[in-house]
């Protein structure tokens, strides 16, 4: 018999009922730990897997990560389906239920604020991909046509063409990014809040076109259609006007927009609860908040820790 | 929550409307959610608790570790990788990688 820990999935109000027979990671039954009008949904996990040392090793195992992630998601979905819910970050394990109770009590107001804010809103994901070749055609011109005089010396001409090709690519990328900014801003008009996740690695998304937007939007119930309309409008506009140039002629859309959801409000409950009660999102202009669009590309090194989102 | 299929979620013909089709069906069954979309949320969203814990995501550089594993797995088990560039989870966006 190994020691066990308490794995926490989500926090909701105590009157929520995620249903019977809910099972979490390793197919262990999930139960509620109630305190101060709140409930944490938890299950028992063995520390020979969920201790720091074994975990570091197991996280290299994609199958293991996938199973835990899906089990976590399954519980969060059930809880969020029953009422306002604050999902907890993947793999949050306490030594005992007393500590969970203590957390609910100490952070009651923070959780209440999050649950009130979330309400019955849903999170929708919007991912936009730009196809450089289609964008090139729509924007007009072949690579390197803007170079002007080309040297008669082959080596120099090659370098000129290469340099022009890079400039073209850079220009197209900037256009695509600018469109993504506008799309994000338009989606934030419909949403209560928007947040950009960093672009997915092409080998994970399975796509080699440019992912220019990986956004999450917290949307009031009943406004999904408006979100969908914005998505459709942008995809269509991208076919009519290739970025900022060459407008007017119709071509294949170079912007592919995917919608996922509804999700539990994962991206908008990024409350960081530590002893100092820090609100790390303050002074972080790259976070979208209250429908205000974010500016600028996602930066390196961000978003490893939970921050932003809720206020 | 169930919603009717919003007409605007329909994609143009010939597309694989992955997200749209799923979205239109209402709540996403856990097993049909793309793991990469799920990990976006599970590793960058949600309530983060530190202190008094046996383990939390904040204690481990999990994002890097798990995604390295993910990418390695995708590349060995899946179809040939489309990008010849070095795997660099979450860091360089497509517009940041080389020409």
């Amino acid at each position: 018999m190994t020691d066990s820990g308490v794995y926490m999935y989500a926090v909701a109000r105590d009157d929520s009922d995620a249903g019977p027979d809910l099972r979490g990671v390793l197919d262990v039954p999930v139960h509620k730990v109630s305190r101060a009008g709140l409930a944490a949904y938890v299950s028992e996990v063995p520390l020979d897997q969920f201790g720091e040392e074994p975990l570091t090793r197991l996280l290299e195992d994609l199958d293991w990560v996938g199973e835990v992630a899906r089990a976590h998601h399954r519980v969060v979905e059930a809880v969020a389906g029953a009422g306002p819910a604050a999902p907890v970050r993947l793999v949050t394990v306490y030594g005992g239920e007393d500590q969970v109770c203590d957390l609910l009590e100490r952070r009651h107001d923070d959780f209440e604020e999050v649950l009130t804010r979330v309400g019955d809103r849903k999170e929708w994901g919007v991912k936009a991909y730009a196809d450089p070749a289609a964008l090139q055609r729509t924007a007009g011109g072949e690579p390197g046509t803007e170079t002007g005089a080309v040297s008669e010396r082959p080596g120099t001409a090659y370098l000129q063409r290469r340099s022009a090709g890079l400039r073209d690519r850079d220009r197209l990328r900037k256009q695509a990014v600018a469109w993504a900014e506008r799309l994000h801003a338009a989606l934030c008009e419909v949403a209560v809040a928007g947040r950009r996740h960093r672009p997915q690695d092409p080998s994970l998304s399975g796509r080699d076109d440019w992912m220019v937007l990986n956004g999450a939007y917290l949307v009031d119930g009943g406004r999904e259609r408006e979100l969908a309309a914005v998505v459709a409008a942008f995809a269509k506009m991208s076919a009519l006007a290739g970025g900022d140039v060459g407008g007017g002629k119709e071509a294949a859309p170079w912007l592919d927009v995917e919608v996922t959801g509804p999700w539990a409000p994962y991206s908008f409950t990024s409350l960081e609860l530590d002893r100092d009660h820090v609100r790390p999102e303050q002074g972080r202009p790259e976070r979208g908040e209250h429908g205000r669009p974010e500016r600028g590309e996602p930066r390196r090194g961000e978003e490893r820790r939970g921050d932003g989102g809720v206020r | 929550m169930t919603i009717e299929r919003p007409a605007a979620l329909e994609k143009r013909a010939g597309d694989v409307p992955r997200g749209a089709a799923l979205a239109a069906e209402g709540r996403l069954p856990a097993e049909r959610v793309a793991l990469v979309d799920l990990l976006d949320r599970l590793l960058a969203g949600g309530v983060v608790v530190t202190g008094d814990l046996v383990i939390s995501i904040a204690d481990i550089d999990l994002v890097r570790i798990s995604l390295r594993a993910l990418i390695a797995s995708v590349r060995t088990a899946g179809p040939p990788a489309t990008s010849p560039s070095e795997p660099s989870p979450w860091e360089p966006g497509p517009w940041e990688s080389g020409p």
Side-chain angles (χ1 to χ4, degrees):
Chain A
M1 189 62 202
T2 58
D3 289 340
S4 63
V6 177
Y7 186 113
M8 185 163 68
Y9 301 89
V11 173
R13 298 209 172 91
D14 194 22
D15 59 6
S16 75
D17 180 8
D21 305 327
L22 189 57
R23 288 176 179 271
V25 294
L26 304 175
D27 209 33
V28 172
V30 172
H31 62 278
K32 285 205 294 191
V33 172
S34 301
R35 178 65 64 93
L38 297 169
Y41 285 80
V42 303
S43 69
E44 201 171 287
V45 286
L47 293 187
D48 63 0
Q49 287 188 50
F50 286 87
E52 182 160 0
E53 206 176 305
L55 198 55
T56 305
R57 181 173 40 82
L58 284 167
L59 289 172
E60 300 276 1
D61 179 348
L62 175 67
D63 291 337
W64 190 90
V65 171
E67 271 180 36
V68 171
R70 291 188 189 286
H72 188 106
H73 180 59
R74 193 169 60 232
V75 175
V76 167
E77 285 284 277
V79 176
V88 174
R89 182 70 57 94
L90 188 72
V91 187
T92 300
V93 181
Y94 279 88
E97 294 190 1
D98 288 353
Q99 290 161 300
V100 176
C101 288
D102 186 47
L103 174 79
L104 296 181
E105 201 164 284
R106 277 187 298 122
R107 296 299 180 210
H108 172 271
D109 293 352
D110 293 311
F111 281 119
E112 261 305 323
E113 187 185 327
V114 170
L115 294 174
T116 301
R117 178 169 156 72
V118 164
D120 64 351
R121 292 166 174 149
K122 301 295 179 200
E123 174 176 330
W124 292 82
V126 177
K127 298 180 287 181
Y129 303 86
D131 176 350
L135 179 55
Q136 175 85 56
R137 287 192 297 272
T138 311
E142 292 301 312
T145 51
E146 59 174 44
T147 49
V150 175
S151 170
E152 289 177 8
R153 299 168 60 192
T156 308
Y158 168 78
L159 289 176
Q160 284 176 335
R161 280 196 307 275
R162 180 168 165 73
S163 165
L166 291 177
R167 274 202 307 276
D168 273 341
R169 198 174 168 82
D170 190 49
R171 179 174 56 87
L172 293 176
R173 196 149 42 197
K174 279 182 176 148
Q175 282 180 18
V177 168
W179 271 78
E181 297 288 339
R182 271 180 264 161
L183 173 57
H184 179 67
L187 292 167
C188 284
E189 294 287 314
V190 174
V192 174
R195 176 180 173 188
R196 294 179 76 157
H197 291 291
R198 67 186 58 190
Q200 295 169 349
D201 188 283
S203 57
L204 293 181
S205 64
R207 301 183 59 140
D208 58 355
D209 42 8
W210 298 335
M211 186 177 214
V212 289
L213 178 65
N214 186 15
Y217 304 91
L218 189 64
V219 179
D220 280 325
R223 297 195 70 181
E224 303 85 7
R225 284 165 183 280
E226 291 173 63
L227 192 85
V230 169
V231 167
F234 266 77
K236 192 171 179 201
M237 271 195 292
S238 81
L240 293 172
D244 296 320
V245 296
K249 59 178 179 176
E250 183 146 14
W254 55 266
L255 192 70
D256 184 25
V257 190
E258 282 186 4
V259 179
T260 63
W263 296 88
Y266 287 107
S267 305
F268 301 95
T269 50
S270 304
L271 185 61
E272 188 147 342
L273 300 178
D274 58 19
R275 293 192 181 93
D276 301 327
H277 199 185
V278 176
R279 291 299 183 91
E281 64 270 19
Q282 283 176 8
R284 290 232 182 173
E286 70 271 17
R287 301 269 174 252
E289 50 180 285
H290 292 286
R292 195 184 311 152
E294 296 167 2
R295 296 293 171 197
E297 298 173 10
R299 292 195 318 214
R300 293 175 185 229
E302 282 180 9
E303 300 193 358
R304 277 220 314 286
R305 304 287 296 259
D307 44 14
V310 176
R311 36 199 79 74
Chain B
M1 183 180 73
T2 54
I3 61 163
E4 292 171 33
R5 186 185 186 87
L9 286 179
E10 302 277 0
K11 301 300 259 315
R12 59 186 187 273
D15 250 358
V16 183
R18 293 184 300 184
L22 289 174
E25 287 168 14
R27 189 156 291 284
L28 294 165
E31 65 278 6
R32 293 189 54 189
V33 172
L35 189 58
V36 63
D37 290 338
L38 187 53
L39 288 179
D40 276 343
R41 289 165 172 79
L42 287 177
L43 299 178
V47 175
V48 177
V49 191
T50 54
D52 301 337
L53 287 159
V54 172
I55 194 74
S56 99
I57 216 72
D59 296 342
I60 297 184
D61 199 352
L62 176 90
V63 176
R64 234 156 266 283
I65 293 169
S66 63
L67 288 181
R68 202 178 300 136
L70 249 172
I71 287 174
S73 168
V74 165
R75 295 204 160 179
T76 52
T82 49
S83 166
S85 60
E86 198 70 81
S88 38
W90 306 94
E91 283 205 77
W95 55 83
E96 291 168 333
S97 53

